[in-house]
PDB file of all heavy atoms in Angstrom:
ATOM      1  N   TYR O   1      89.220-135.296 255.361  1.00 98.00           N
ATOM      2  CA  TYR O   1      87.977-135.942 255.033  1.00 98.00           C
ATOM      3  C   TYR O   1      87.969-136.890 253.936  1.00 98.00           C
ATOM      4  O   TYR O   1      88.986-136.752 253.040  1.00 98.00           O
ATOM      5  CB  TYR O   1      86.863-134.905 254.727  1.00 98.00           C
ATOM      6  CG  TYR O   1      86.573-133.778 255.801  1.00 98.00           C
ATOM      7  CD1 TYR O   1      87.213-132.648 255.755  1.00 98.00           C
ATOM      8  CD2 TYR O   1      85.741-134.050 256.806  1.00 98.00           C
ATOM      9  CE1 TYR O   1      87.045-131.556 256.661  1.00 98.00           C
ATOM     10  CE2 TYR O   1      85.535-133.119 257.799  1.00 98.00           C
ATOM     11  CZ  TYR O   1      86.256-131.904 257.767  1.00 98.00           C
ATOM     12  OH  TYR O   1      85.973-131.001 258.703  1.00 98.00           O
ATOM     13  N   LEU O   2      87.169-137.876 253.939  1.00 98.00           N
ATOM     14  CA  LEU O   2      87.041-138.661 252.724  1.00 98.00           C
ATOM     15  C   LEU O   2      85.509-138.738 252.362  1.00 98.00           C
ATOM     16  O   LEU O   2      84.790-139.492 253.114  1.00 98.00           O
ATOM     17  CB  LEU O   2      87.586-140.121 253.015  1.00 98.00           C
ATOM     18  CG  LEU O   2      87.692-140.981 251.727  1.00 98.00           C
ATOM     19  CD1 LEU O   2      88.633-140.430 250.680  1.00 98.00           C
ATOM     20  CD2 LEU O   2      88.054-142.456 252.140  1.00 98.00           C
ATOM     21  N   GLN O   3      85.129-138.130 251.405  1.00 98.00           N
ATOM     22  CA  GLN O   3      83.692-138.169 250.886  1.00 98.00           C
ATOM     23  C   GLN O   3      83.692-139.393 249.995  1.00 98.00           C
ATOM     24  O   GLN O   3      84.339-139.468 248.875  1.00 98.00           O
ATOM     25  CB  GLN O   3      83.387-136.928 250.188  1.00 98.00           C
ATOM     26  CG  GLN O   3      81.997-136.902 249.561  1.00 98.00           C
ATOM     27  CD  GLN O   3      80.902-136.933 250.555  1.00 98.00           C
ATOM     28  OE1 GLN O   3      81.028-136.245 251.601  1.00 98.00           O
ATOM     29  NE2 GLN O   3      79.874-137.778 250.430  1.00 98.00           N
ATOM     30  N   MET O   4      82.760-140.354 250.270  1.00 98.00           N
ATOM     31  CA  MET O   4      82.590-141.469 249.559  1.00 98.00           C
ATOM     32  C   MET O   4      81.160-141.564 248.915  1.00 98.00           C
ATOM     33  O   MET O   4      80.229-141.568 249.621  1.00 98.00           O
ATOM     34  CB  MET O   4      82.837-142.757 250.357  1.00 98.00           C
ATOM     35  CG  MET O   4      84.235-142.669 251.181  1.00 98.00           C
ATOM     36  SD  MET O   4      84.503-144.264 252.107  1.00 98.00           S
ATOM     37  CE  MET O   4      83.223-144.078 253.321  1.00 98.00           C
ATOM     38  N   ASN O   5      81.161-141.487 247.571  1.00 98.00           N
ATOM     39  CA  ASN O   5      79.855-141.550 246.848  1.00 98.00           C
ATOM     40  C   ASN O   5      79.722-142.867 246.150  1.00 98.00           C
ATOM     41  O   ASN O   5      80.674-143.567 245.807  1.00 98.00           O
ATOM     42  CB  ASN O   5      79.769-140.365 245.944  1.00 98.00           C
ATOM     43  CG  ASN O   5      79.770-139.085 246.674  1.00 98.00           C
ATOM     44  OD1 ASN O   5      79.330-138.900 247.797  1.00 98.00           O
ATOM     45  ND2 ASN O   5      80.232-137.961 245.975  1.00 98.00           N
ATOM     46  N   ASN O   6      78.543-143.185 245.811  1.00 98.00           N
ATOM     47  CA  ASN O   6      78.209-144.422 245.031  1.00 98.00           C
ATOM     48  C   ASN O   6      78.954-145.642 245.549  1.00 98.00           C
ATOM     49  O   ASN O   6      79.672-146.277 244.861  1.00 98.00           O
ATOM     50  CB  ASN O   6      78.605-144.228 243.517  1.00 98.00           C
ATOM     51  CG  ASN O   6      78.123-145.372 242.614  1.00 98.00           C
ATOM     52  OD1 ASN O   6      77.182-146.011 242.965  1.00 98.00           O
ATOM     53  ND2 ASN O   6      78.809-145.418 241.472  1.00 98.00           N
ATOM     54  N   LEU O   7      78.680-145.834 246.881  1.00 98.00           N
ATOM     55  CA  LEU O   7      79.471-146.905 247.520  1.00 98.00           C
ATOM     56  C   LEU O   7      79.028-148.236 246.982  1.00 98.00           C
ATOM     57  O   LEU O   7      77.860-148.495 246.638  1.00 98.00           O
ATOM     58  CB  LEU O   7      79.132-146.836 249.090  1.00 98.00           C
ATOM     59  CG  LEU O   7      80.082-145.793 249.713  1.00 98.00           C
ATOM     60  CD1 LEU O   7      79.478-145.428 251.102  1.00 98.00           C
ATOM     61  CD2 LEU O   7      81.531-146.260 249.876  1.00 98.00           C
ATOM     62  N   LYS O   8      79.994-149.163 246.970  1.00 98.00           N
ATOM     63  CA  LYS O   8      79.742-150.557 246.433  1.00 98.00           C
ATOM     64  C   LYS O   8      80.070-151.558 247.620  1.00 98.00           C
ATOM     65  O   LYS O   8      80.876-151.209 248.521  1.00 98.00           O
ATOM     66  CB  LYS O   8      80.694-150.815 245.280  1.00 98.00           C
ATOM     67  CG  LYS O   8      80.514-149.837 244.172  1.00 98.00           C
ATOM     68  CD  LYS O   8      81.564-150.076 243.010  1.00 98.00           C
ATOM     69  CE  LYS O   8      81.392-149.035 241.843  1.00 98.00           C
ATOM     70  NZ  LYS O   8      82.427-149.311 240.832  1.00 98.00           N
ATOM     71  N   PRO O   9      79.529-152.776 247.537  1.00 97.00           N
ATOM     72  CA  PRO O   9      79.778-153.720 248.544  1.00 97.00           C
ATOM     73  C   PRO O   9      81.289-154.008 248.680  1.00 97.00           C
ATOM     74  O   PRO O   9      81.814-154.249 249.828  1.00 97.00           O
ATOM     75  CB  PRO O   9      79.042-154.959 248.061  1.00 97.00           C
ATOM     76  CG  PRO O   9      77.821-154.422 247.324  1.00 97.00           C
ATOM     77  CD  PRO O   9      78.447-153.193 246.553  1.00 97.00           C
ATOM     78  N   GLU O  10      82.041-153.870 247.613  1.00 97.00           N
ATOM     79  CA  GLU O  10      83.520-154.109 247.751  1.00 97.00           C
ATOM     80  C   GLU O  10      84.232-153.028 248.486  1.00 97.00           C
ATOM     81  O   GLU O  10      85.454-153.132 248.688  1.00 97.00           O
ATOM     82  CB  GLU O  10      84.094-154.369 246.254  1.00 97.00           C
ATOM     83  CG  GLU O  10      83.761-153.312 245.268  1.00 97.00           C
ATOM     84  CD  GLU O  10      82.506-153.666 244.386  1.00 97.00           C
ATOM     85  OE1 GLU O  10      81.607-154.167 244.933  1.00 97.00           O
ATOM     86  OE2 GLU O  10      82.592-153.449 243.179  1.00 97.00           O
ATOM     87  N   ASP O  11      83.600-151.901 248.797  1.00 98.00           N
ATOM     88  CA  ASP O  11      84.204-150.885 249.556  1.00 98.00           C
ATOM     89  C   ASP O  11      84.129-151.120 251.072  1.00 98.00           C
ATOM     90  O   ASP O  11      84.709-150.463 251.832  1.00 98.00           O
ATOM     91  CB  ASP O  11      83.433-149.505 249.313  1.00 98.00           C
ATOM     92  CG  ASP O  11      83.643-149.036 247.916  1.00 98.00           C
ATOM     93  OD1 ASP O  11      84.731-149.166 247.312  1.00 98.00           O
ATOM     94  OD2 ASP O  11      82.586-148.493 247.337  1.00 98.00           O
ATOM     95  N   THR O  12      83.427-152.257 251.423  1.00 98.00           N
ATOM     96  CA  THR O  12      83.409-152.634 252.829  1.00 98.00           C
ATOM     97  C   THR O  12      84.739-152.987 253.358  1.00 98.00           C
ATOM     98  O   THR O  12      85.555-153.771 252.809  1.00 98.00           O
ATOM     99  CB  THR O  12      82.519-153.925 252.965  1.00 98.00           C
ATOM    100  OG1 THR O  12      81.123-153.545 252.513  1.00 98.00           O
ATOM    101  CG2 THR O  12      82.543-154.497 254.340  1.00 98.00           C
ATOM    102  N   ALA O  13      85.090-152.156 254.464  1.00 98.00           N
ATOM    103  CA  ALA O  13      86.483-152.357 255.114  1.00 98.00           C
ATOM    104  C   ALA O  13      86.530-151.407 256.274  1.00 98.00           C
ATOM    105  O   ALA O  13      85.607-150.598 256.521  1.00 98.00           O
ATOM    106  CB  ALA O  13      87.494-151.932 254.045  1.00 98.00           C
ATOM    107  N   VAL O  14      87.550-151.642 257.012  1.00 98.00           N
ATOM    108  CA  VAL O  14      87.929-150.628 258.110  1.00 98.00           C
ATOM    109  C   VAL O  14      88.775-149.625 257.366  1.00 98.00           C
ATOM    110  O   VAL O  14      89.825-149.998 256.727  1.00 98.00           O
ATOM    111  CB  VAL O  14      88.699-151.375 259.242  1.00 98.00           C
ATOM    112  CG1 VAL O  14      89.104-150.295 260.221  1.00 98.00           C
ATOM    113  CG2 VAL O  14      87.787-152.378 259.929  1.00 98.00           C
ATOM    114  N   TYR O  15      88.417-148.403 257.593  1.00 98.00           N
ATOM    115  CA  TYR O  15      89.091-147.273 256.901  1.00 98.00           C
ATOM    116  C   TYR O  15      89.995-146.564 257.943  1.00 98.00           C
ATOM    117  O   TYR O  15      89.525-146.286 259.116  1.00 98.00           O
ATOM    118  CB  TYR O  15      88.149-146.339 256.294  1.00 98.00           C
ATOM    119  CG  TYR O  15      87.631-146.766 254.992  1.00 98.00           C
ATOM    120  CD1 TYR O  15      86.691-147.826 254.981  1.00 98.00           C
ATOM    121  CD2 TYR O  15      87.955-146.185 253.704  1.00 98.00           C
ATOM    122  CE1 TYR O  15      86.132-148.287 253.818  1.00 98.00           C
ATOM    123  CE2 TYR O  15      87.387-146.688 252.618  1.00 98.00           C
ATOM    124  CZ  TYR O  15      86.517-147.708 252.597  1.00 98.00           C
ATOM    125  OH  TYR O  15      86.035-148.202 251.450  1.00 98.00           O
ATOM    126  N   TYR O  16      91.221-146.419 257.631  1.00 98.00           N
ATOM    127  CA  TYR O  16      92.190-145.743 258.359  1.00 98.00           C
ATOM    128  C   TYR O  16      92.757-144.482 257.800  1.00 98.00           C
ATOM    129  O   TYR O  16      92.995-144.359 256.667  1.00 98.00           O
ATOM    130  CB  TYR O  16      93.441-146.600 258.626  1.00 98.00           C
ATOM    131  CG  TYR O  16      93.168-147.950 259.326  1.00 98.00           C
ATOM    132  CD1 TYR O  16      92.749-149.110 258.565  1.00 98.00           C
ATOM    133  CD2 TYR O  16      93.228-148.175 260.708  1.00 98.00           C
ATOM    134  CE1 TYR O  16      92.549-150.241 259.212  1.00 98.00           C
ATOM    135  CE2 TYR O  16      92.942-149.308 261.287  1.00 98.00           C
ATOM    136  CZ  TYR O  16      92.532-150.479 260.479  1.00 98.00           C
ATOM    137  OH  TYR O  16      92.344-151.671 261.131  1.00 98.00           O
ATOM    138  N   CYS O  17      92.891-143.462 258.709  1.00 98.00           N
ATOM    139  CA  CYS O  17      93.537-142.192 258.250  1.00 98.00           C
ATOM    140  C   CYS O  17      95.066-142.321 258.720  1.00 98.00           C
ATOM    141  O   CYS O  17      95.312-142.831 259.803  1.00 98.00           O
ATOM    142  CB  CYS O  17      92.858-140.986 258.591  1.00 98.00           C
ATOM    143  SG  CYS O  17      92.725-140.732 260.402  1.00 98.00           S
ATOM    144  N   ALA O  18      95.898-141.604 257.969  1.00 98.00           N
ATOM    145  CA  ALA O  18      97.300-141.661 258.420  1.00 98.00           C
ATOM    146  C   ALA O  18      97.952-140.334 257.946  1.00 98.00           C
ATOM    147  O   ALA O  18      97.460-139.633 257.097  1.00 98.00           O
ATOM    148  CB  ALA O  18      98.031-142.805 257.727  1.00 98.00           C
ATOM    149  N   ALA O  19      98.983-139.995 258.645  1.00 96.00           N
ATOM    150  CA  ALA O  19      99.725-138.730 258.423  1.00 96.00           C
ATOM    151  C   ALA O  19     101.214-139.149 258.026  1.00 96.00           C
ATOM    152  O   ALA O  19     101.794-140.043 258.653  1.00 96.00           O
ATOM    153  CB  ALA O  19      99.743-137.889 259.660  1.00 96.00           C
ATOM    154  N   ARG O  20     101.724-138.339 257.083  1.00 94.00           N
ATOM    155  CA  ARG O  20     103.140-138.590 256.717  1.00 94.00           C
ATOM    156  C   ARG O  20     103.892-137.314 256.616  1.00 94.00           C
ATOM    157  O   ARG O  20     103.429-136.266 256.095  1.00 94.00           O
ATOM    158  CB  ARG O  20     103.031-139.142 255.130  1.00 94.00           C
ATOM    159  CG  ARG O  20     104.369-139.115 254.442  1.00 94.00           C
ATOM    160  CD  ARG O  20     104.156-139.672 253.033  1.00 94.00           C
ATOM    161  NE  ARG O  20     105.255-139.303 252.131  1.00 94.00           N
ATOM    162  CZ  ARG O  20     106.413-139.967 252.170  1.00 94.00           C
ATOM    163  NH1 ARG O  20     106.629-141.043 253.125  1.00 94.00           N
ATOM    164  NH2 ARG O  20     107.442-139.680 251.388  1.00 94.00           N
ATOM    165  N   ALA O  21     105.035-137.407 257.190  1.00 91.00           N
ATOM    166  CA  ALA O  21     105.865-136.270 257.164  1.00 91.00           C
ATOM    167  C   ALA O  21     106.969-136.485 256.112  1.00 91.00           C
ATOM    168  O   ALA O  21     107.600-137.638 256.134  1.00 91.00           O
ATOM    169  CB  ALA O  21     106.658-136.157 258.593  1.00 91.00           C
ATOM    170  N   GLY O  22     107.092-135.732 255.216  1.00 82.00           N
ATOM    171  CA  GLY O  22     108.015-135.969 254.101  1.00 82.00           C
ATOM    172  C   GLY O  22     107.839-134.934 252.993  1.00 82.00           C
ATOM    173  O   GLY O  22     106.857-134.168 253.057  1.00 82.00           O
ATOM    174  N   VAL O  23     108.662-135.136 252.005  1.00 84.00           N
ATOM    175  CA  VAL O  23     108.503-134.125 250.841  1.00 84.00           C
ATOM    176  C   VAL O  23     107.439-134.540 249.874  1.00 84.00           C
ATOM    177  O   VAL O  23     106.684-133.638 249.519  1.00 84.00           O
ATOM    178  CB  VAL O  23     109.889-134.213 250.060  1.00 84.00           C
ATOM    179  CG1 VAL O  23     109.788-133.318 248.800  1.00 84.00           C
ATOM    180  CG2 VAL O  23     111.063-133.650 250.946  1.00 84.00           C
ATOM    181  N   SER O  24     107.183-135.787 249.563  1.00 87.00           N
ATOM    182  CA  SER O  24     106.315-136.208 248.566  1.00 87.00           C
ATOM    183  C   SER O  24     105.090-136.979 249.164  1.00 87.00           C
ATOM    184  O   SER O  24     105.148-137.499 250.260  1.00 87.00           O
ATOM    185  CB  SER O  24     107.123-137.034 247.567  1.00 87.00           C
ATOM    186  OG  SER O  24     107.544-138.214 248.299  1.00 87.00           O
ATOM    187  N   LEU O  25     104.104-137.075 248.355  1.00 89.00           N
ATOM    188  CA  LEU O  25     103.004-137.952 248.687  1.00 89.00           C
ATOM    189  C   LEU O  25     103.442-139.373 248.517  1.00 89.00           C
ATOM    190  O   LEU O  25     104.403-139.723 247.840  1.00 89.00           O
ATOM    191  CB  LEU O  25     101.764-137.634 247.710  1.00 89.00           C
ATOM    192  CG  LEU O  25     100.997-136.315 247.835  1.00 89.00           C
ATOM    193  CD1 LEU O  25     100.161-136.078 246.719  1.00 89.00           C
ATOM    194  CD2 LEU O  25     100.291-136.236 249.084  1.00 89.00           C
TER     195      LEU O  25
END
């Protein structure tokens, strides 16, 4: 999930989720 509060006009975008296999973030 991505909880987005106090949204601003500059937050306007297409949001993508992604998955990563690996050791680190």
Side-chain angles (χ1 to χ4, degrees):
Y1 302 97
L2 185 68
Q3 176 67 43
M4 306 185 294
N5 297 330
N6 190 22
L7 283 160
K8 303 176 181 180
E10 52 263 42
D11 294 319
T12 295
V14 176
Y15 283 71
Y16 299 89
C17 62
R20 166 179 166 77
V23 174
S24 61
L25 291 172

